[in-house]
């Protein structure tokens, strides 16, 4: 199931026209998000637009699924959000099929919304998953933890949490399986790293979902790639 992100397109850095909601929602703790006062289009016009727009999963040129994490860094209960940004990842199911499928399902079901990173070190940030059950052991070979921004899981995990690397961590290759790479938002990782030294800062995934695009654009991109391949064959 594709999830339509509810933040402005410019924050998600998706190359395609993602299906953004008409009323952007401000970052905030669960149940405390405030809506903007921007005027909405007439109801009849919105219904017509929704019927005319068909949403399909947003994939990279490799055909792999892409997801986003909306991250908010809170500074205490009274100061509110200090930083807010989005991270965009490309998943590689062939590297760890069970982990990739589980993450897509968790995002689609909203199970990762308003979820806290329970541990942050110089190397990685751990997204808690004690209430997500015990996942199946991941037998996939996995990707190397050779850069910051890798999504990973423990091979024999006791809970359904996820790990985001904040710097290259080749030693994790033995006990962990990486299955996703950060595409956009690497400059924000330093903000997560800096939060580890503060007792009052809290880092949360406010929302996550699979990036989507209008079906018309998907068909036009496929058609343009087909034409380019045909042109290269003729040459």
């Amino acid at each position: 199931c594709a999830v339509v992100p509810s933040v402005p397109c410019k924050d998600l850095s998706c190359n395609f026209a993602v299906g953004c909601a008409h009323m952007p929602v401000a970052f905030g703790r669960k149940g405390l998000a405030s809506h903007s006062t921007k005027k909405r289009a007439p109801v009849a016009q919105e219904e017509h637009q929704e019927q005319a727009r068909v949403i399909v999963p947003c994939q990279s040129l490799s055909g792999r699924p892409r997801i986003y994490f909306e991250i908010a860094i809170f500074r205490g209960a009274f100061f509110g959000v200090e930083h807010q940004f989005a991270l965009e990842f490309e998943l590689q199911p062939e590297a760890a099929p069970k982990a990739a499928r589980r993450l897509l399902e968790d995002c689609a079901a909203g199970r990762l919304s308003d979820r806290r990173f329970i541990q942050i070190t110089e190397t990685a940030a751990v997204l808690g998953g004690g209430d997500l059950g015990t996942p199946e052991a991941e037998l996939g070979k996995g990707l190397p933890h050779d850069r910051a921004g890798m999504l990973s899981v423990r091979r024999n995990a006791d809970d359904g949490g996820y790990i985001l690397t904040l710097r290259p961590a080749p030693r994790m290759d033995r006990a962990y399986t990486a299955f996703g790479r950060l595409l956009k938002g690497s400059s924000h990782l330093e903000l997560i790293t800096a939060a580890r030294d503060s007792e009052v800062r809290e880092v949360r995934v406010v929302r996550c979902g699979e990036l989507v695009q209008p079906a018309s654009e998907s068909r036009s991109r496929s058609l343009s790639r087909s034409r380019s391949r045909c042109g290269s064959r003729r040459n």
Side-chain angles (χ1 to χ4, degrees), residues 185-196:
S186 58
S187 60
H188 300 305
L189 295 181
E190 289 297 328
L191 297 175
I192 299 177
T193 304
R196 79 184 192 281

Side-chain angles (χ1 to χ4, degrees), residues 62 67 87 115 143 148 157 184 186 193 205 214 232:
S62 63
I67 67 166
L87 303 178
R115 186 167 294 270
L143 303 171
K184 297 178 181 179
S186 58
T193 304
V205 172
S232 61

Side-chain angles (χ1 to χ4, degrees), residues 4 16 30 32 62 71 96 102-103 109 131 142 155 157-158 160 175-176 197 199 212:
V4 180
F16 308 118
K30 190 173 183 180
L32 298 179
S62 63
I71 306 292
R102 180 164 61 86
L103 178 56
D131 58 332
R155 293 186 183 276
D158 297 329
Y176 297 85
D197 297 326
E199 296 181 358
V212 296

Side-chain angles (χ1 to χ4, degrees), residues 6-10 20-26 34-42 46 49:
S6 56
V7 298
C9 299
K10 62 182 179 181
C20 294
H22 296 286
M23 289 184 63
V25 178
S34 59
H35 295 276
S36 67
T37 57
K38 189 176 181 180
K39 293 183 179 180
R40 298 185 61 173
E46 287 185 357
Q49 292 174 350

